[in-house]
Amino acid sequence: LPRLINYYGRRGCIPHVSYYQVLEPDALPTNFFSRKLVFVGQGLTITPQGSQTDDYATPYTRSSGFLSSGVEIQATAALNLLRRDWLTELSRGAQALLVAGAGVVFGIGLTLLRPRVACGAGFIGAVVTIVTEFVFFDRANVSFPWSAPCVAQVLVALGFSLKFGRTRVHLEITGSRPSP
């Protein structure tokens, strides 16, 4: 299974010091680097041509607006390997099975319910799908963004359920199909 970087937080969540502090006598405790992995990299550099960065977007960039330095990403990847807490992605077969299974459950299940009950069940199904995805991500480090396709399936199935329910109610009342 492919391994994906499991980011621990926003930029700066991994302790770091500037290179000048390392070279400055008495700037850091004498045992500061004892029993630690040390990664050396570049932050913001200002040159005559302008500023140059070694910064990249992470999943936290959207919420924080900050990029992370390349050395911080390398340190994160190394910690993932040492701690064995990288993210894994479900196999394509497992992903297809989950999406197809949800499609069958929602597609058939919601059409068997009355329209109002189907709306409530569809909402609950969408919430359960999102919570399940979060729990798998948070507890098992499994990344599979399946809430979007499953919520779309719920909405489509709900639409069919409402149409099917309308047709069923019309048949029960009049004994004939409604006009489209």
Side-chain angles (χ1 to χ4, degrees), residues 76-97:
T76 301
L79 283 173
N80 283 182
L81 291 171
L82 288 171
R83 296 175 178 174
R84 303 183 64 81
D85 65 353
W86 55 80
L87 297 176
T88 56
E89 190 175 38
L90 291 177
S91 68
R92 297 286 183 210
Q95 290 180 27
L97 189 63

Side-chain angles (χ1 to χ4, degrees), residues 24-35:
E24 184 72 30
D26 300 324
L28 299 170
T30 56
N31 64 345
F32 184 79
F33 294 108
S34 176
R35 302 180 53 81

